[in-house]
Amino acid sequence: AQTVTQSQPEMSVQEAETVTLSCTYDTSENNYYLFWYKQPPSRQMILVIRQEAYKQQNATENRFSVNFQKAAKSFSLKISDSQLGDTAMYFCAFMKPNTDKLIFGTGTRLQVFP
Amino acid sequence: EAGVAQSPRYKIIEKRQSVAFWCNPISGHATLYWYQQILGQGPKLLIQFQNNGVVDDSQLPKDRFSAERLKGVDSTLKIQPAKLEDSAVYLCASSLDGNTEAFFGQGTRLTVV
């Protein structure tokens, strides 16, 4: 069975600085998807970034980028130029294609300070 | 494009009572998910529909939880009877075909007292 581990329950960063959130996963599959979701206090889960396992290039979305290490089964999220609006829970998630089942980690609470 | 709609946003019930949650996915999305998110944890999949058929309900406590998706559009999740440990946020999500991004609703926060 697939598992997703986020070892940092809480992180904090000063506005405009860079922060990295860690995620590791366990799977025997070769092809899969990885996601980072943001959950602000409004509770709505918002997709931040997506990575296909067959792609070697790390995904990037504006200030958000990932460091995908397939052999190490690691999928960290880097937030550059942190903004107050980035304050939220961040969840790493795994999906095996054709099962459509999203498996989430336990989350990291990120606090951005002015 | 309208998002995933859920109601109610909050619900407080006493243990042993019943409760129902409603979800309206994004138009045209075939896959619908119900997740349970207990405070301090990540969401856990309860049930997944493809159109009006159940794809995965392996983690649904079937002795008290039930869900349906009539006509492959709206879905309801019911708990009867509720227990204290059912206190959680219940999230509904939908995706176009299951291999694409899942869009989430704002969830229903259930408190069982």
Side-chain angles (χ1 to χ4, degrees):
Chain A
Q2 289 81 16
T3 58
V4 178
T5 301
Q6 294 180 249
S7 59
Q8 305 155 315
E10 294 185 2
M11 293 280 285
S12 61
V13 64
Q14 196 154 22
E15 199 174 8
E17 297 295 308
T18 296
V19 64
T20 299
L21 308 184
S22 301
C23 173
T24 58
Y25 57 94
D26 186 26
T27 183
S28 58
E29 301 293 327
N30 187 51
N31 190 25
Y32 47 87
Y33 302 110
L34 295 165
F35 305 86
W36 277 98
Y37 277 88
K38 171 185 177 181
Q39 188 178 41
S42 66
R43 301 199 303 261
Q44 187 160 13
M45 301 280 275
I46 302 164
L47 180 67
V48 174
I49 201 164
R50 164 191 171 124
Q51 175 82 41
E52 290 88 351
Y54 64 85
K55 290 185 178 179
Q56 293 187 346
Q57 187 173 8
N58 289 324
T60 299
E61 287 287 343
N62 301 314
R63 298 183 295 107
F64 299 88
S65 62
V66 299
N67 183 5
F68 174 48
Q69 302 288 330
K70 190 173 184 179
K73 296 180 183 175
S74 170
F75 183 61
S76 61
L77 174 70
K78 185 172 83 171
I79 306 174
S80 304
D81 185 26
S82 297
Q83 300 176 0
L84 297 178
D86 295 334
T87 294
M89 285 290 291
Y90 286 81
F91 291 94
C92 179
F94 171 99
M95 178 190 281
K96 178 182 167 184
N98 301 319
T99 67
D100 316 332
K101 183 175 173 178
L102 264 180
I103 300 169
F104 287 88
T106 52
T108 296
R109 182 177 303 280
L110 176 66
Q111 179 74 50
V112 180
F113 291 98
Chain B
E1 175 182 83
V4 176
Q6 287 189 250
S7 67
R9 289 222 51 199
Y10 303 91
K11 189 74 177 178
I12 301 174
I13 62 172
E14 295 182 349
K15 60 183 179 183
R16 291 188 289 274
Q17 284 187 322
S18 62
V19 64
F21 313 126
W22 173 81
C23 173
N24 184 15
I26 293 173
S27 177
H29 280 197
T31 303
L32 185 147
Y33 311 81
W34 281 103
Y35 283 85
Q36 180 192 58
Q37 186 178 17
I38 293 172
L39 186 64
Q41 299 181 17
K44 183 186 82 172
L45 180 67
L46 291 176
I47 189 167
Q48 177 185 333
F49 293 93
Q50 182 78 14
N51 296 308
N52 62 348
V54 175
V55 173
D56 185 345
D57 63 357
S58 57
Q59 298 199 76
L60 187 74
K62 297 180 187 62
D63 57 334
R64 298 184 301 106
F65 286 65
S66 65
E68 61 182 9
R69 191 184 183 196
L70 298 176
K71 301 180 182 178
V73 182
D74 293 5
S75 177
T76 56
L77 176 69
K78 296 179 181 178
I79 308 175
Q80 182 180 11
K83 293 184 176 182
L84 296 176
E85 58 262 35
D86 298 332
S87 293
V89 173
Y90 290 84
L91 295 166
C92 179
S94 70
S95 66
L96 193 58
D97 60 9
N99 275 328
T100 57
E101 174 188 354
F103 293 83
F104 284 78
Q106 290 189 293
T108 297
R109 182 181 297 279
L110 173 67
T111 303
V112 182
V113 298

